[in-house]
Amino acid sequence: MTVTFDYAGKAVLVTGGTRGIGAGIAAAFRAAGAEVTVCARTRPESVPDRFVQADVRVPEDVDRLISGFDRLDVVVNNAGGSPPAPLEGTSPRLHARVIELNLTAPLLVSQRAYPLLAAVGGAVVMIGSASGARPSPGTAAYGAAKAGLHHLARCLAAEWAPLVRVNTVVVGLAATQDASGASPAATRDAADHYGGRADLDGRAIPAGRMATPADVAQACLWLAAPGYVTGAEVRVDGGGEIPAWRHLVSGDIS
């Protein structure tokens, strides 16, 4: 069975929507008929949607971004990420910036967008991370920010009900495009996640593969559609990751 969505006449904003998961989300809403606006800090060479150059960590940029809408039905707070950043020996400013991007910015965008969303019974979808639901060594600030984002979504869902629904897609390890969009970055992502072991790509995930942008986008389409669900966390992680002790007792990983 194929589930289809009709977003004709709807205005959708996807932050960080020019590449990777964000580009996949924007493409899915566009295919469903929505008028899609994407924003990012740098202008891409080409983007099929309406593009606004903005740093969502900067209040003035967010004000300018939201002021460009007469109507707004859906906000997908996708902008985020972090370089590898062990806590010891790294700049406090780096960790502050990671938290600003992954927690403060979605709060700011949602706050500014609220009047437009409330006027039409709209929805916010936060793009969370499995790193916010389990220990995140090497990216502690990122994991803490994503945990805060999950909680922020639940708080806003309660505070803004019934006018605006707010939900979270909790994404596990994902295969995305490289900066050129030419080839999957799955091998690199897996190697980073598993300490350089690119051969472990997908083996620790019960579903047998990493998530794709299309997998995440389908969850966003469902959560953003009019309905009853709010304050929910939908995990798009292929069943999570198999605990390390399973490999230790079976000898699958040497």
Side-chain angles (χ1 to χ4, degrees):
M1 181 180 69
T2 301
V3 178
T4 60
F5 297 89
D6 182 6
Y7 279 90
K10 306 295 186 182
V12 177
L13 169 63
V14 181
T15 68
T18 60
R19 63 179 183 172
I21 288 175
I25 294 169
F29 276 102
R30 188 172 62 252
E35 179 182 341
V36 180
T37 299
V38 299
C39 72
R41 283 175 287 174
T42 57
R43 180 176 294 277
E45 292 183 3
S46 63
V47 61
D49 309 292
R50 174 175 175 257
F51 174 76
V52 177
Q53 190 167 7
D55 185 339
V56 289
R57 295 172 298 188
V58 178
E60 294 78 11
D61 277 19
V62 175
D63 288 340
R64 175 172 51 82
L65 171 65
I66 301 301
S67 68
F69 291 93
D70 295 320
R71 175 191 177 114
L72 189 54
D73 297 88
V74 178
V75 170
V76 181
N77 279 306
N78 167 77
S82 173
L87 200 61
E88 183 180 6
T90 50
S91 165
R93 182 56 182 156
L94 169 62
H95 298 292
R97 294 291 280 175
V98 168
I99 293 170
E100 287 172 7
L101 177 61
N102 292 280
L103 177 57
T104 307
L107 185 154
L108 184 60
V109 172
S110 300
Q111 179 191 47
R112 296 295 196 269
Y114 172 75
L116 290 170
L117 294 170
V120 296
V124 176
V125 179
M126 307 291 195
I127 303 302
S129 172
S131 294
R134 56 159 170 75
S136 181
T139 54
Y142 173 76
K146 287 299 188 181
L149 180 67
H150 302 169
H151 187 72
L152 171 65
R154 293 192 297 269
C155 289
L156 295 184
E159 185 172 332
W160 291 350
L163 297 178
V164 176
R165 293 176 302 105
V166 185
N167 293 288
T168 303
V169 179
V170 181
V171 184
L173 193 61
T176 58
Q177 296 279 307
D178 64 16
S180 69
S183 61
T187 300
R188 183 198 65 217
D189 291 349
D192 290 345
H193 185 70
Y194 293 116
R197 290 285 300 276
D199 58 306
L200 300 182
D201 178 7
R203 283 181 54 194
I205 300 172
R209 65 173 179 85
M210 292 187 284
T212 66
D215 293 323
V216 180
Q218 281 298 306
C220 292
L221 288 170
W222 176 65
L223 288 172
Y228 181 71
V229 177
T230 192
E233 294 178 8
V234 175
R235 302 187 67 88
V236 181
D237 59 5
E241 291 183 82
I242 299 170
W245 65 263
R246 289 281 300 277
H247 299 295
L248 294 173
V249 299
S250 65
D252 286 344
I253 297 180
S254 59

